[in-house]
Amino acid sequence: MSSYVGVVVSDPELHSQFTQVELRTLKSKFNSNKTLLDRFAVGDLPPVLAKLNAFSGTFDADEIKSVLDKSYPDADQEVDFETFLRAFLSVQARGVEKSGGSKGSSSFLKTSTTTVHHAINEAEKASYVSHVNSYLRDDPFLKSYLPIDPATNAFFDLVKDGVLLCKLINLAVPGTIDERAINTKKILNPWERNENLTLGLNSAKAIGCTVVNIGTQDIAEGRPYLVLGLISQIIKIQMLADLNFKKTPSLFQLVDDTQDAEELMGLAPEKVLLKWMNFHLKKAGYEKQVTNFSSDVKDGEAYAYLLNALAPEHSTHGTLETKDPTERAKKVLEQAEKMDCKRYLSPKDIVDGSANLNLAFVAQIFQHRNGLTDDSSKSTSFAEMMTDDVETSREERCFRLWINSLGTATYVNNVFEDLRNGWVLLEVLDKVSPGSVNWKHANKPPIKMPFKKVENCNEVIKIGKELRFSLVNVAGNDIVQGNKKLLLAFLWQLMRYTMLQLLKNLRSHSQGKEITDADILNWANRKVKRVGRTSQADSFRDKNLSSGIFFLELLTAVEPRVVNWSLVTSGETEEDKKLNATYIISVARKLGCSIFLLPEDIIEVNPKMMLILAASIMYWSLQQQSDTESNVSEDAADEGDANSVTGEISNLSLDEASESSPSGQDQELVTKADEDDVDDGNNKDA
């Protein structure tokens, strides 16, 4: 694939300061400005850099000029790409000083991957290697490469072909990747390797990892700080998988009333883990409150009390009587091993207060023995609050993962709780429609006064109406009050708007009409027909889509080699439909589509998810054409884009689309369906 080549910088040290995603973005900015200006000089840099998202709101052009004047006194000096990168780094370094920020090391629990600091924590690396050796030792493909020696770089070498990444994702959330879609050979060619890495990165997003500044080539190069940043998120998801009420209903024992239970349901898994730990510590007579997995546990006392409470048969007073923290930590780990908790950290890690490894340790204790009894009557009464139907739960999951994939500053753990103050919605709107949010009118969390939350949500509704969302009789207070149906309807329109804007931007030089749902359907049908395939979709509600054959033929049409048809079923039985649906999702991600639907969405023909799936494939296909044209002739990019990429869409007309969608059903996916949702939501609340 063309994306595997990446952007090459001749200076290796300079190249190492950026991920491929960052290099591609900056290269695009550099090329566009070089095209606009007859001669790109140092004097042109300040206004160009000031417009970059990295410096928006931090520097203005005058401040950037003062930073660059020291290194580049000659304003007429012509700027090449490497000079552009060095200027970027100069301003970035000044930004770190200005904010007083620190250059943090890789973290087990970070929700983003950053290139600010490249140091790695050897103890964490050893922990991840131990995790891989333990959980994947019997894997048919990987077992010949295991165990890995943590003292070498074998771990980073093994990650390069993408197989290990995919296997870890399936450990964290079983069934995420159809392993039939993974290329598993001893020696992979660049195309196959890139497919695995693309599948892994898109699947990582789909389980909740934030993968913003990392591309396939970064993993293929085995960059340690990026690899560990991503692996840490995947392992975190696996270790905390049971810390929710669906997996562990007995967690309701941690609260006394309905209000507390609702609050607990909205907490991040690591916060629930802290609450669980304090629950047992209080019962055991420990007088302190543990608020973190670092300074509060480094003396080992809390662990001694916790293990004595959970496993009294292994308890010993010698642990608490030991005065030396390192010796106490050693005894704690010995006691944990008797509970079959594998040792992923050392006494030194406890004493040093390694937050990442200590959290993993506590999570492992929870998995082996949570000490909660099955109080069925209490669990049943609280479980009545968890009455969301299956479709609502799936939509919440889809939108939550999508929001987190955007790289917003706030990580969302529960859409229905975390979005009620309006702040995250404003962050998302600013991502998908830059400049739409007037941050002077926004109230930043923590927000104690309810009317401040309403102000934020009113601003959200105002921007939504400016983006022409269907928001009949919807007010900001509906979001604050947690009206689930209205919130899901808003998020669906936001996701759809984002997808259509991406498609629109690919034809930015065209004078054609806006992309519609019917255009997407018509494009898909024409694409399938042109390669001699027989499937056609009447609409995104067409029940025939449940077999999966249409989308597999569409994927084949945009990339002939991506589907292995020997693995495809007829799609007639429920089991065959599920096999096809699972395969479709993995193949689409392997191709390069960032999607968040589940196999059930295809089997049940969820029209919203069918639209997003088709639009994602369409976007990938047109983007490949655009990239190819750019490589052929950067100077003629404007003309080429208008003549071919956009031609494939702009040649479509609404009349043409209507032939494929007779009643215009899919054009109504947003207008009528969401108005019904809004009306139903308001009637329900009335």
Side-chain angles (χ1 to χ4, degrees):
M1 289 186 182
S2 58
S3 60
Y4 181 75
V5 177
V7 177
V8 179
V9 179
S10 61
D11 182 345
E13 180 62 28
L14 181 62
H15 184 101
S16 70
Q17 300 299 308
F18 299 91
T19 68
Q20 275 300 314
V21 173
E22 291 169 330
L23 284 173
R24 285 196 294 271
T25 301
L26 291 172
K27 182 73 171 180
S28 175
K29 296 291 184 183
F30 173 79
N31 286 339
S32 61
N33 281 283
K34 190 176 179 181
T35 303
L36 287 172
L37 304 167
D38 291 335
R39 186 173 180 276
F40 195 6
V42 168
D44 301 313
L45 281 172
V48 170
L49 293 175
K51 292 179 182 177
L52 296 177
N53 289 337
F55 306 133
S56 177
T58 307
F59 293 102
D60 57 29
D62 290 337
E63 289 175 309
I64 291 176
K65 182 179 183 301
S66 67
V67 173
L68 298 180
D69 279 347
K70 299 174 183 177
S71 303
Y72 307 97
D74 183 4
D76 292 328
Q77 176 188 338
E78 189 165 358
V79 175
D80 59 17
F81 182 52
E82 292 195 8
T83 303
F84 184 72
L85 293 178
R86 289 190 172 91
F88 178 91
L89 289 175
S90 296
V91 180
Q92 185 184 62
R94 180 69 186 93
V96 173
E97 296 172 12
K98 184 176 180 181
S99 64
S102 61
K103 299 180 178 182
S105 61
S106 70
S107 169
F108 190 84
L109 284 179
K110 274 188 179 175
T111 54
S112 63
T113 307
T114 160
T115 58
V116 174
H117 186 50
H118 295 174
I120 64 171
N121 185 312
E122 289 296 333
E124 291 180 14
K125 172 191 167 186
S127 174
Y128 307 152
V129 169
S130 180
H131 185 91
V132 169
N133 287 339
S134 174
Y135 281 92
L136 291 173
R137 63 189 174 194
D138 296 324
D139 181 83
F141 179 78
L142 291 174
K143 63 183 180 182
S144 61
Y145 299 95
L146 302 178
I148 302 168
D149 182 356
T152 69
N153 286 324
F155 180 60
F156 303 115
D157 292 335
L158 188 55
V159 171
K160 290 179 180 180
D161 68 4
V163 177
L164 175 60
L165 181 62
C166 292
K167 298 282 188 176
L168 282 173
I169 288 169
N170 268 356
L171 269 180
V173 183
T176 299
I177 296 175
D178 187 333
E179 297 205 2
R180 297 176 299 170
I182 305 173
N183 299 314
T184 52
K185 295 191 305 187
K186 290 290 184 182
I187 300 176
L188 299 176
N189 62 42
W191 182 295
E192 293 167 330
R193 185 184 304 117
N194 191 57
E195 282 185 333
N196 281 350
L197 292 170
T198 303
L199 171 60
L201 287 178
N202 282 322
S203 299
K205 293 180 191 176
I207 66 170
C209 297
T210 303
V211 186
V212 179
N213 292 323
I214 186 169
T216 55
Q217 189 167 342
D218 298 312
I219 304 296
E221 292 172 0
R223 295 192 181 188
Y225 65 102
L226 289 175
V227 169
L228 293 183
L230 179 57
I231 297 296
S232 69
Q233 293 186 69
I234 297 170
I235 293 177
K236 167 200 169 183
I237 290 168
Q238 178 186 348
M239 300 299 287
L240 301 179
D242 293 338
L243 281 152
N244 61 74
F245 295 117
K246 289 184 179 178
K247 291 280 188 71
T248 314
S250 53
L251 281 170
F252 282 120
Q253 291 178 49
L254 305 184
V255 297
D256 296 322
D257 55 40
T258 301
Q259 185 175 353
D260 288 341
E262 290 177 345
E263 182 182 334
L264 190 64
M265 288 169 65
L267 290 179
E270 50 267 40
K271 296 293 185 183
V272 177
L273 189 62
L274 277 174
K275 199 169 184 68
W276 166 81
M277 187 175 182
N278 283 309
F279 172 80
H280 284 298
L281 290 176
K282 185 178 179 180
K283 288 172 63 177
Y286 187 65
E287 297 178 355
K288 300 176 186 176
Q289 183 86 357
V290 176
T291 61
N292 58 63
F293 294 104
S294 180
S295 59
D296 287 359
V297 295
K298 63 194 305 181
D299 62 6
E301 284 190 13
Y303 285 147
Y305 274 94
L306 179 65
L307 293 176
N308 284 347
L310 294 175
E313 70 275 19
H314 302 308
S315 67
T316 169
H317 294 293
T319 306
L320 285 171
E321 292 170 356
T322 303
K323 301 298 181 184
D324 180 57
T326 302
E327 189 62 29
R328 184 186 295 127
K330 183 179 178 181
K331 290 182 179 296
V332 162
L333 293 178
E334 289 172 353
Q335 190 172 346
E337 282 189 338
K338 293 177 182 177
M339 295 168 54
D340 294 328
C341 292
K342 296 180 179 63
R343 183 176 290 195
Y344 290 151
L345 77 170
S346 67
K348 185 178 183 299
D349 296 323
I350 293 177
V351 174
D352 288 347
S354 173
N356 311 315
L357 298 182
N358 276 294
L359 181 141
F361 178 52
V362 178
Q364 195 178 49
I365 294 172
F366 177 87
Q367 287 181 345
H368 281 79
R369 191 175 299 192
N370 62 41
L372 301 174
T373 57
D374 292 326
D375 186 345
S376 57
S377 59
K378 187 172 184 179
S379 295
T380 302
S381 63
F382 283 126
E384 292 175 357
M385 297 185 301
M386 302 172 63
T387 55
D388 292 344
D389 58 50
V390 174
E391 185 175 351
T392 297
S393 297
R394 287 212 304 261
E395 289 194 15
E396 186 277 336
R397 170 198 167 277
C398 173
F399 294 133
R400 168 168 40 85
L401 296 173
W402 171 66
I403 290 171
N404 288 331
S405 77
L406 298 174
T408 52
T410 307
Y411 191 85
V412 176
N413 293 290
N414 185 304
V415 162
F416 300 132
E417 293 298 323
D418 297 351
L419 271 57
R420 288 173 64 176
N421 64 15
W423 180 261
V424 175
L425 286 171
L426 290 172
E427 287 184 324
V428 175
L429 284 164
D430 197 46
K431 283 281 185 183
V432 303
S433 181
S436 63
V437 178
N438 184 344
W439 290 106
K440 293 180 180 178
H441 296 165
N443 302 296
K444 189 174 182 178
I447 305 173
K448 295 183 178 179
M449 303 300 291
F451 76 91
K452 293 288 186 181
K453 298 178 184 179
V454 175
E455 286 178 352
N456 279 355
C457 292
N458 282 339
E459 188 70 13
V460 167
I461 298 300
K462 174 176 169 289
I463 297 169
K465 290 179 177 178
E466 290 170 356
L467 298 178
R468 301 175 67 183
F469 292 179
S470 176
L471 297 168
V472 182
N473 299 324
V474 180
N477 194 50
D478 293 315
I479 297 176
V480 176
Q481 294 300 318
N483 187 315
K484 294 180 180 181
K485 202 159 192 176
L486 296 185
L487 182 56
L488 292 177
F490 182 88
L491 289 173
W492 155 242
Q493 294 183 78
L494 192 54
M495 177 184 269
R496 175 184 177 274
Y497 168 84
T498 306
M499 195 71 250
L500 295 185
Q501 285 301 112
L502 287 172
L503 289 169
K504 178 184 175 183
N505 291 340
L506 280 180
R507 58 169 198 160
S508 57
H509 305 289
S510 167
Q511 300 301 315
K513 59 181 176 59
E514 295 285 324
I515 300 269
T516 66
D517 301 355
D519 286 333
I520 296 168
L521 179 67
N522 196 41
W523 173 87
N525 277 327
R526 286 161 62 99
K527 201 76 178 173
V528 170
K529 189 175 181 180
R530 281 176 184 170
V531 294
R533 296 285 177 170
T534 58
S535 296
Q536 293 286 282
D538 291 335
S539 74
F540 290 121
R541 292 184 173 86
D542 189 337
K543 292 301 180 184
N544 290 324
L545 294 176
S546 67
S547 71
I549 300 299
F550 176 78
F551 283 111
L552 288 165
E553 292 188 344
L554 178 59
L555 287 163
T556 299
V558 299
E559 177 47 70
R561 67 179 299 282
V562 77
V563 175
N564 182 348
W565 281 93
S566 67
L567 302 176
V568 176
T569 73
S570 62
E572 294 178 359
T573 68
E574 288 301 309
E575 184 179 350
D576 284 352
K577 288 178 180 179
K578 185 161 187 178
L579 285 170
N580 283 354
T582 305
Y583 189 55
I584 287 167
I585 293 170
S586 289
V587 168
R589 288 176 180 153
K590 179 179 179 177
L591 196 64
C593 299
S594 183
I595 50 177
F596 304 94
L597 74 166
L598 291 170
E600 289 78 9
D601 292 314
I602 298 176
I603 297 168
E604 297 170 12
V605 191
N606 180 326
K608 295 176 182 179
M609 294 301 109
M610 297 301 91
L611 168 63
I612 293 298
L613 176 58
S616 298
I617 298 170
M618 180 181 182
Y619 176 68
W620 182 89
S621 176
L622 297 178
Q623 194 176 39
Q624 300 313 297
Q625 289 179 244
S626 180
D627 288 347
T628 300
E629 289 159 10
S630 296
N631 290 336
V632 170
S633 175
E634 284 185 0
D635 294 334
D638 288 0
E639 184 178 351
D641 190 57
N643 286 339
S644 57
V645 174
T646 63
E648 189 161 349
I649 308 176
S650 57
N651 286 339
L652 297 173
S653 68
L654 192 57
D655 291 336
E656 257 184 320
S658 296
E659 292 177 12
S660 293
S661 183
S663 61
Q665 291 174 355
D666 293 292
Q667 185 59 33
E668 299 173 4
L669 270 179
V670 172
T671 53
K672 186 176 188 308
D674 286 318
E675 283 176 9
D676 287 346
D677 280 351
V678 168
D679 290 340
D680 289 347
N682 284 327
N683 290 337
K684 184 177 180 180
D685 291 344

